[in-house]
Amino acid sequence: MKTDEKMEKLPDETLLKPILINYMNEIDGVLAVAICDRNGFIISSEFKQQAADESVIGVISAILDSYIDRIKSEFGSFGNFFNITITGDKKFAFASMGPHSILTTVADPSTSDVELKVYSEHVASKIELVLKGNEDVSPQIPEIIKALSKTRGGQLSKLEGEFSNKLILTGDYAVGKTSLIRRFVENKFEKDYISTIGVQISKKIVNISEQTKMNFIIWDIGGQVKQMAPYRKKFYTGTNAAFIVVDRTRPDNLKSVDFWFNDIKKQIPKDISIVIVGNKSDLVDEIVISEDDIRTIAKEFGFHYILTSAKTGVGVNDAFLYVAYRVIEIL
Ligand code: G3D
Ligand code: MG
């Protein structure tokens, strides 16, 4: 591993560092974090004070070197993955959410696996966005991630199995429902278009862990579904989770949360996982619905929210992964 090469090719390090530092400080047991490319070259790293020991980077390098070949053969250059290994008296978590990088986290062995997984997938998604050239990636960890990381008593083993999740996207016309789905299903992509009912169904299988698959069946409501009563039932039947998508640049759009929530409740008697998705967050100058506004209404209704941009990809993986985890818990 050539750690000495890291400074030369690092135009993005000023954007990466705050993300790493924020992440490291969020979980007590984390001692060090490093971003490598898919060949194992270290792009950026950070250490907690008590672990400010250059030997840690040596250990990361050594472990990654032996791990990289396995990653390449198992996942190719594109597959996302997450893995935890215990070596000596340290826990190592590896997460990759795209072709550019692998996030390695070195933690105390007592650190919760779920916490490591949920946070490092989130952070690895952000790093990919930065490496793709996005400059407006916030280092803040959204509350949705914090809430998720506390679930399951820290045990990933409880997640084993193959799961199916019918997720519906609700929200007014042109808030970005179709764009969010496109962004999420991007690489592995199968879709059926059922034009007769004005609804588009997309599928995507996500490997939650080596033992766990989530089969997303995503229903995209057409603009006319609001009026087409006979089709609404079909749209809602068997749903496990819903997004209520809001366009943050439209002054009155937050009011529609009430409409869509009531609509969901009328059609689906059981409790399902609902997330308010505050979309078009990239349009900074046009935003009229603040995070505070969304947080307040989410609290009122008792569900979580996330800020996204289908355009840049910010928050999109988080939104979908959140419902994946929640649905596994509910099932
Ligand atoms: P809908 O499926 O909810 O009706 P669409 O919405 O996904 O069709 O999106 C409506 C418009 O908003 C589209 O623009 C789309 O490109 C845009 N859009 C969706 N999400 C975002 C986002 O996060 N940021 C920005 N800047 N634009 C977004 P057009 O111009 O094609 O109508
Ligand atoms: Mg649409």
Side-chain angles (χ1 to χ4, degrees), residues 17 43 60 72 87 135 176 178 194 245 305 321:
K17 278 202 175 292
I43 298 170
I60 294 177
K72 280 187 179 154
T87 302
E135 290 183 354
T178 304
I194 305 174
V245 184
Y305 74 92
L321 281 182

Side-chain angles (χ1 to χ4, degrees), residues 14-293:
T14 50
L15 297 171
L16 294 173
K17 278 202 175 292
I19 294 174
L20 288 185
I21 291 168
N22 232 23
Y23 165 45
M24 196 168 56
N25 292 331
E26 197 71 37
I27 309 181
D28 282 344
V30 172
L31 307 170
V33 286
I35 303 166
C36 305
D37 67 16
R38 284 254 173 148
N39 291 312
F41 291 110
I42 292 183
I43 298 170
S44 187
S45 58
E46 287 296 327
F47 305 88
K48 273 233 179 101
Q49 215 111 69
Q50 70 264 31
D53 174 7
E54 282 296 316
S55 71
V56 174
I57 201 88
V59 178
I60 294 177
S61 299
I63 290 185
L64 260 180
D65 271 347
S66 62
Y67 193 61
I68 291 286
D69 288 336
R70 218 189 101 200
I71 289 170
K72 280 187 179 154
S73 64
E74 280 183 29
F75 301 99
S77 344
F78 293 103
N80 297 348
F81 63 87
F82 176 82
N83 199 287
I84 288 180
T85 314
I86 293 185
T87 302
D89 60 349
K90 303 255 181 339
K91 199 177 252 187
F92 290 81
F94 304 97
S96 185
M97 296 299 283
H100 300 98
S101 63
I102 300 166
L103 174 70
T104 304
T105 307
V106 185
D108 190 85
S110 62
T111 312
S112 144
D113 287 353
V114 170
E115 216 168 5
L116 283 172
K117 180 170 166 56
V118 167
Y119 276 93
S120 59
E121 282 175 344
H122 166 73
V123 174
S125 294
K126 277 184 171 165
I127 291 164
E128 282 292 318
L129 288 171
V130 171
L131 294 177
K132 271 194 270 178
N134 281 288
E135 290 183 354
D136 60 346
V137 180
S138 160
Q140 302 300 326
I141 309 274
E143 62 93 37
I144 207 169
I145 298 298
K146 297 184 186 190
L148 254 192
S149 72
K150 304 295 178 210
T151 57
R152 303 201 153 263
Q155 300 288 312
L156 281 176
S157 56
K158 293 185 198 163
L159 292 170
E160 279 177 33
E162 213 173 311
F163 300 91
S164 227
N165 171 22
K166 176 177 171 183
L167 166 68
I168 56 171
L169 270 74
T170 69
D172 291 351
Y173 177 70
V175 291
K177 300 179 294 295
T178 304
S179 306
L180 285 164
I181 295 169
R182 281 216 185 108
R183 169 60 70 184
F184 177 63
V185 298
E186 209 177 8
N187 290 325
K188 283 184 198 160
F189 184 50
E190 262 186 275
K191 88 182 176 178
D192 303 310
Y193 189 62
I194 305 174
S195 54
T196 48
I197 59 165
V199 162
Q200 190 167 322
I201 302 167
S202 307
K203 294 176 187 169
K204 175 162 172 151
I205 297 171
V206 175
N207 293 319
I208 300 282
S209 74
E210 280 173 54
Q211 306 86 5
T212 316
K213 280 190 194 340
M214 174 53 81
N215 187 3
F216 276 98
I217 301 142
I218 307 162
W219 287 57
D220 185 8
I221 198 169
Q224 66 275 50
V225 172
K226 212 166 172 174
Q227 290 89 35
M228 292 168 80
Y231 302 119
R232 298 157 75 87
K233 201 158 182 63
K234 218 170 209 164
F235 181 71
Y236 285 110
T237 301
T239 294
N240 306 105
F243 287 170
I244 299 176
V245 184
V246 168
D247 179 346
R248 296 183 64 198
T249 69
R250 263 192 263 171
D252 280 345
N253 210 227
L254 211 49
K255 286 187 191 145
S256 72
V257 171
D258 195 48
F259 169 85
W260 287 108
F261 179 64
N262 285 318
D263 209 51
I264 292 167
K265 282 286 133 194
K266 255 186 273 162
Q267 307 285 341
I268 306 170
K270 63 175 181 176
D271 268 345
I272 61 161
S273 180
I274 299 175
V275 183
I276 300 181
V277 176
N279 193 41
K280 306 198 187 179
S281 299
D282 59 287
L283 297 172
V284 179
D285 296 335
E286 292 166 49
I287 285 176
V288 288
I289 298 176
S290 70
E291 176 165 9
D292 275 348
D293 297 338

